[in-house]
Amino acid sequence: MEIIVDHTLSLRAVTVEDTERVFAITDASRSTLREWLPWLDMTTEVQHTRAYIESNIAGYKERKCLSAVILFHGKIVGIAGFNNINHANETVYIGYWLSKGAQGHGIMTKVVHALCQYAFEELQFNKVEIRAAVGNTKSRAIPERLGFVKEGTIRSAEWLYDHFVDHVVYGMLANEWTKTS
């Protein structure tokens, strides 16, 4: 799977060959990413990233998930994709993270837009859902910019190292997407 977003930005299904680079940007962005991602303390060696990638490749083959590297000017700067693909309900759940140096340039908004297009136009799914911690204003800004509907809040949705955080749930339906895109 490859999605060309624009002349500087694309998505490509993650491969085992991406392991070292994904680990390197994870490690370099650890302090920033750790604020909202619960898996950073369990990703301390290249082998941990490799296991994650291999798991996602297997999940992709089983049509359960899709993990893609974000390429900006040809370099990996993050991961985005469908954390879960629910075929029965025609719903995908988008997750994403971006390296510290790549944040603040509008990259993730473009990436999420492209993933929505892929979900609605290629996969012909009915719904895209994004969940983000209530306090994660940067992550929440993306679905809000793209016109997602705030559907509600899930209390104590995720354990984040030493406390629970609530999640805001955003949804976009296929018929709404055609009106906004």
Side-chain angles (χ1 to χ4, degrees):
M1 182 285 301
E2 184 175 23
I3 300 171
I4 305 298
V5 180
D6 63 27
H7 69 284
T8 64
L9 191 58
S10 63
L11 293 160
R12 171 182 51 74
V14 69
T15 66
V16 173
E17 290 77 22
D18 298 322
T19 300
E20 301 256 342
R21 177 67 183 144
V22 171
F23 178 76
I25 64 171
T26 301
D27 205 38
S29 302
R30 189 170 296 279
S31 62
T32 307
L33 296 176
R34 190 178 188 279
E35 184 177 7
W36 299 113
L37 299 175
W39 47 264
L40 267 291
D41 288 358
M42 297 175 287
T43 307
T44 57
E45 300 175 11
V46 173
Q47 297 90 320
H48 299 145
T49 299
R50 183 182 181 99
Y52 160 79
I53 289 173
E54 288 173 344
S55 170
N56 276 278
I57 291 169
Y60 181 65
K61 288 177 183 173
E62 295 170 5
R63 300 178 58 221
K64 293 180 180 178
C65 65
L66 167 63
S67 185
V69 290
I70 301 166
L71 299 164
F72 185 59
H73 294 289
K75 293 185 179 172
I76 297 173
V77 296
I79 299 282
F82 306 140
N83 292 341
N84 184 10
I85 300 173
N86 183 327
H87 292 277
N89 292 319
E90 297 182 0
T91 302
V92 297
Y93 303 85
I94 293 181
Y96 44 82
W97 63 266
L98 204 53
S99 64
K100 185 177 179 179
Q103 295 178 12
H105 304 289
I107 291 170
M108 197 56 79
T109 300
K110 291 178 185 178
V111 163
V112 172
H113 185 275
L115 286 170
C116 289
Q117 276 188 293
Y118 186 77
F120 293 130
E121 295 171 16
E122 297 296 320
L123 300 179
Q124 297 290 302
F125 272 29
N126 183 57
K127 185 175 185 183
V128 172
E129 193 171 292
I130 296 174
R131 297 179 182 200
V134 169
N136 190 346
T137 55
K138 288 181 180 179
S139 191
R140 290 182 54 196
I142 293 161
E144 289 172 2
R145 251 184 241 116
L146 293 172
F148 276 66
V149 172
K150 180 179 172 184
E151 297 184 340
T153 302
I154 301 173
R155 298 177 303 144
S156 293
E158 182 176 44
W159 179 253
L160 198 57
Y161 302 104
D162 61 355
H163 65 287
F164 282 101
V165 293
D166 297 346
H167 277 186
V168 179
V169 178
Y170 294 93
M172 175 70 72
L173 301 177
N175 66 349
E176 296 167 337
W177 181 254
T178 56
K179 295 173 189 171
T180 63
S181 63

